Amino acid sequence: YYKMDFPAFEKKKAREDAKKFRDREQFISRNRNPDPATPVGKRVMQYREWCRAYTGRQFAKSNMFTFPDPTPLKGVDPEAKPEDIPLIDMKDVTFKYPGTDVMILGKK
């Protein structure tokens, strides 16, 4: 349990995970081919799985907020200000509830 706010927790947890990763990688490199039937072999397998999951999380975080460049909208002047471009154009919108003849937003 960590008695701190969330941003401080994230930083501390990242430092702890990085240290744990270095320690486990070092342990794995010292024990390259252990017998899986021994306790050391079991520990190496657990450490390898944790390291795979950790590197997967790090890769996912690195690509989390990368977005492609926006493409220009069709039929819009590229010189126009973004505030002046209507993204939703609602013309002749009508609908009704199932089982009724009441038209919503319909012309009378």
Side-chain angles (χ1 to χ4, degrees):
Y1 181 71
Y2 296 89
K3 292 186 178 184
M4 58 188 69
D5 60 345
F6 191 70
F9 162 76
E10 282 184 321
K11 290 178 185 175
K12 184 174 177 98
K13 181 77 168 127
R15 283 193 307 270
E16 289 176 356
D17 283 349
K19 182 182 181 314
K20 187 186 288 188
F21 178 72
R22 283 192 308 272
D23 294 344
R24 289 182 176 200
E25 281 289 313
Q26 185 179 13
F27 183 84
I28 291 169
S29 66
R30 276 193 256 128
N31 301 288
R32 288 201 175 261
N33 287 325
D35 182 11
T38 63
V40 172
K42 181 179 179 183
R43 180 185 284 180
V44 167
M45 287 176 40
Q46 289 173 342
Y47 283 5
R48 281 186 184 146
E49 184 58 35
W50 186 90
C51 289
R52 270 192 218 104
Y54 176 76
T55 54
R57 283 192 309 270
Q58 293 302 103
F59 181 75
K61 277 188 209 175
S62 69
N63 289 333
M64 188 181 303
F65 294 109
T66 56
F67 299 103
D69 292 334
T71 57
L73 297 172
K74 296 177 184 175
V76 176
D77 181 25
E79 305 278 329
K81 293 182 182 178
E83 299 86 31
D84 297 337
I85 301 172
L87 296 178
I88 300 173
D89 191 15
M90 297 179 63
K91 293 181 183 175
D92 302 325
V93 177
T94 58
F95 65 94
K96 67 178 183 174
Y97 292 109
T100 65
D101 293 328
V102 178
M103 297 299 288
I104 308 296
L105 300 176
K107 294 183 179 178
K108 293 184 180 181

